[in-house]
Amino acid sequence: MSKIIEQKQQVVAEIADKFRNSKSAVLVDYRGLDVAEVTELRAQLREAGVDFKVYKNTMTRRAIQEAELTELDEVLVGPTALAFSEDDAVSPAKILNNFAKDHDSLELKGGVIEGQVATLDQIKELATIPNYEGLVSMFLSVLQAPIRNFAYATQAIADKKEEESA
């Protein structure tokens, strides 16, 4: 087997593994973005721990067949970049969706969430969900609310009794 074919098989296996191991993956069309915009996007994604890379569509097609995600085949038209996140399912969708709002050239195509092919609407809906830290913060504030309300009520009763005795 030639060395080039081996390299291509390694790339296909790498992409398929990324699809399998990622909590989410988002496919985008980046045509029209200049170098500065792509650099800014890559920096935002890297900061969030998201792997962002451009692969040839033929390699990606073979990888999605290997990963059994053939529904993605229809979105592999034109230049396609892939954003994978193994840690946070929300980050790629949120960052790319927010970047697309400011830059009309970036177009979301579709993606994979927890091993299932997602529609464009599902990706955009995922982008509106707070990330893990935000969800934990919201959960903790919900847990603290009854205690905080009890403390306020106790303080109000104490203040009222103090006024009555004075």
Side-chain angles (χ1 to χ4, degrees):
M1 198 180 311
S2 76
K3 192 170 188 144
I4 294 172
I5 293 174
E6 285 179 25
Q7 289 174 340
K8 288 181 178 182
Q9 287 176 338
Q10 288 176 348
V11 171
V12 168
E14 173 189 330
I15 299 168
D17 286 343
K18 285 184 179 185
F19 273 116
R20 284 189 207 104
N21 299 331
S22 296
K23 289 192 176 185
S24 71
V26 180
L27 288 78
V28 295
D29 183 344
Y30 58 90
R31 273 185 288 203
L33 293 178
D34 61 30
V35 174
E37 292 170 332
V38 171
T39 304
E40 177 188 344
L41 177 60
R42 285 182 186 272
Q44 288 178 20
L45 290 166
R46 193 177 313 111
E47 188 177 309
V50 177
D51 185 24
F52 185 72
K53 197 164 182 182
V54 177
Y55 294 101
K56 290 188 174 195
N57 285 344
T58 54
M59 303 287 187
T60 305
R61 274 193 187 90
R62 291 178 189 218
I64 61 174
Q65 287 176 352
E66 191 175 309
E68 299 176 4
L69 300 168
T70 53
E71 296 92 350
L72 286 175
D73 195 38
E74 63 192 42
V75 299
L76 291 174
V77 178
T80 305
L82 306 170
F84 297 98
S85 177
E86 292 183 8
D87 301 324
D88 185 7
V90 177
S91 292
K94 184 178 286 297
I95 293 168
L96 291 167
N97 191 48
N98 290 343
F99 199 84
K101 287 178 184 174
D102 298 333
H103 302 85
D104 294 333
S105 301
L106 185 70
E107 177 189 341
L108 294 154
K109 292 180 160 187
V112 177
I113 302 170
E114 298 286 342
Q116 301 295 317
V117 175
T119 64
L120 189 55
D121 291 335
Q122 290 171 324
I123 296 293
K124 289 183 178 183
E125 188 176 323
L126 181 66
T128 62
I129 297 173
N131 62 8
Y132 178 76
E133 289 80 17
L135 289 173
V136 168
S137 173
M138 292 167 76
F139 178 68
L140 290 175
S141 69
V142 167
L143 288 178
Q144 289 176 343
I147 297 168
R148 185 176 46 246
N149 291 342
F150 178 71
Y152 288 145
T154 307
Q155 184 65 40
I157 292 169
D159 290 344
K160 185 174 181 181
K161 287 190 177 193
E162 186 176 303
E163 283 179 12
E164 290 174 0
S165 65

